[in-house]
Amino acid sequence: MKLERMIAIIMLLLQREKMSGRELAELFEVSLRTIYRDIETINQAGIPIVTSSGVGGALGS
């Protein structure tokens, strides 16, 4: 399930370019912390995902 979720996150970010962590957490019905862990794993695999924090912060490819 984790691998499928991470692939889906990559595909979504390729389509939309920006999404909030909260949006992804709600979409996949997991915690925000789980999304951040998945993003870190994706980055470690060599797929760059840029993050920004604060109001209006988002994840993007």
Side-chain angles (χ1 to χ4, degrees), residues 1 13 18 22-23 53 58:
M1 184 68 171
L13 292 175
K18 279 188 176 182
R22 180 71 55 209
E23 286 176 304
S53 58

Side-chain angles (χ1 to χ4, degrees), residues 3-58:
L3 180 60
E4 293 170 353
R5 185 176 59 244
M6 287 190 291
I7 292 170
I9 289 170
I10 294 166
M11 299 302 292
L12 280 169
L13 292 175
L14 285 171
Q15 291 174 354
R16 298 189 190 180
E17 293 189 22
K18 279 188 176 182
M19 287 187 80
S20 72
R22 180 71 55 209
E23 286 176 304
L24 289 169
E26 290 174 7
L27 180 66
F28 293 108
E29 298 178 349
V30 296
S31 70
L32 185 56
R33 175 118 171 104
T34 297
I35 293 297
Y36 289 148
R37 284 187 201 133
D38 288 349
I39 296 301
E40 182 60 32
T41 302
I42 292 167
N43 279 324
Q44 289 176 354
I47 302 169
I49 296 179
V50 178
T51 61
S52 57
S53 58
V55 177

